Amino acid sequence: MHGENGARAAIAATTESRDLYHLVRAAVSLGAADVPGWSAAERELAATAETVTAETVTAGSPLPSEAAIREQIQAGADPLGDAFCRIRPARQRRPLGQTYTPAPVVAAMIAWAAGQGTPHRVIDPGVGSARYLVAAARQWPHARLLGVDIDPVAAVLARGHLAAAGLSGRATVCLRDYRELRPPRIEGTTLYLGNPPYVRHLQIEPAWKQWLVSRAAERNIAATALAGLHAHFFLATAIAAQPGDTGTFVTSAEWLDVNYGRLVRELLLDELGGRAVHILDPTIEVFPDAVTTAAITCFRIGDKPAEVRLRQVKRVADLGALDGGRPVARAELAQAARWTPLVHLTPKLPAGYVELGDLCRVHRGQVTGGNATWVVARGATALPRRLLFPSVTRARELFAAQDRLTDDGPLRFVIDLPADLDELPEDDRPVVADFLTRARANGAADGYIARARRAWWRVGLHAPAPILATYMARRPPAFVRNEVAARHINIAHGLYPREDLPPATLDRLAGYLRASVAVHQGRTYAGGLTKFEPREMERLPVPALETLRHDPLP
Ligand SMILES: C[S@@+](CC[C@H](N)C(=O)[O-])C[C@H]1O[C@@H](n2cnc3c(N)ncnc32)[C@H](O)[C@@H]1O
């Protein structure tokens, strides 16, 4: 990449090359040359951008004017980085893990670091367009800034951004592999801040895998060649950093639970001095072009705190200054093969409360595998009534019922046939055979669900549940007493008491759930849908049985 034709090669392979050259030229015109540390590859790139854009200038630039770019940068935006991500398609950014970090995540990480003291230097190990460094410079007006990147395009953009933000005097950008960086020793502390690239081991050169294994071995840590690039960056940071330095990285959360992640986990429990890990729910979609669970790790080199805080974050707005989380003892973390399950432990319940799961199992309703075949309106089938089960088949039926379902008249039927059709009375067989012939012709036997069943025609409804709950909506779930023994399909959950409970107790349980459960207890998906999986619903706190048995509830 940095050879004779490095610059052209860095760009020429892309279909959007002209636009990228325009971008490089824009960075140069913002003053990129003033930020020290230029490499030969960048010089060549800038020279090429000059000629190419001059050749094609009549076609117009995809960028706003220089004045507009400057104005946006002054206002805290990163127009160069945003344009880079627009122009270079995601699939071409993937080999170098070029997914840039959204501003709220950068802000939360800087807020955490600000609580740790004032760094004298900030290093971003894969600087991209320098959005971290520029934000850090605004937080710490005297800190030196050092950005490293392996891509000459990114390095020039970082320079342009830093220059336009007025930071040329205290910034250096270095075109290098971060693993080779040996930052000069300084008086004072360094903050390692950034988003190490997510690149799978298949794309990592054997020599670097060997580097990982042998450098880890020097620290008595077993590393595997299967480690992703972010694990290499954690190790390189442990090598470069000094006691008292701090760090916060956002990465894929993979290292928390997979075997190769042991290297990162051991480093955090030892010399990297892990303080906290904040796991961002995958449904948040923090990174526009990478569907992954992200984790923000906070560390202070040389610390050996008795516990590390683990926290799940469901909304970017909840990141705050990366406080809070469940303290987990180092000894417990050292023994655990996976860290994510340790985040999910239920917070302590208040006295007198238990989890709903202690009283009831929660089961999602049956999947029919084809509602067009198996769910029918009243009067729409010739099948005998005993094969038709009034069922809740739409969440709105539960919302409409409010506290209790007292009339199954408005419900549709689910057709549930026995697996052994010989069990059917003689009289029913011709009409059932006729129905099945039509159902088969309509493809009902061929779907994935139908093929997985012992008999493709047996839906296998669950027993009626005395409390039914919706589990996905833009509002808290409806908890409805099921007084008509309706069945339910997979749009609802059924709450099945572990022991027989009298109706009055069930009423009070459903009433308590209706009054207490809030959307934030579920998982929120992009767009505001809140979902409660059965296991999540089982974790809801409810009064213990002794209390529920007495009226009124305290
Ligand atoms: C996930 S991006 C982060 C960019 C920027 N810090 C941000 O968060 O907006 C990772 C960056 O690391 C760079 N990179 C990839 N491999 C690298 C390596 N071995 N050494 C240094 N930088 C690398 C990529 O070019 C990319 O700019």
Side-chain angles (χ1 to χ4, degrees), residues 96-101 124 126-127 131-132 149-150 177-178 195:
L96 287 178
Q98 294 175 315
T99 301
Y100 287 10
T101 314
D124 183 337
V127 69
R131 50 180 65 172
Y132 276 102
D149 210 289
I150 204 164
D177 191 304
Y178 176 60
N195 175 358

Side-chain angles (χ1 to χ4, degrees), residues 368 370-377 391 393-394 412-415 489:
T368 68
N371 290 358
T373 302
W374 305 109
V375 178
V376 287
S391 301
T393 58
R394 296 177 276 221
R412 298 186 291 179
F413 291 133
V414 171
I415 300 166
I489 64 168

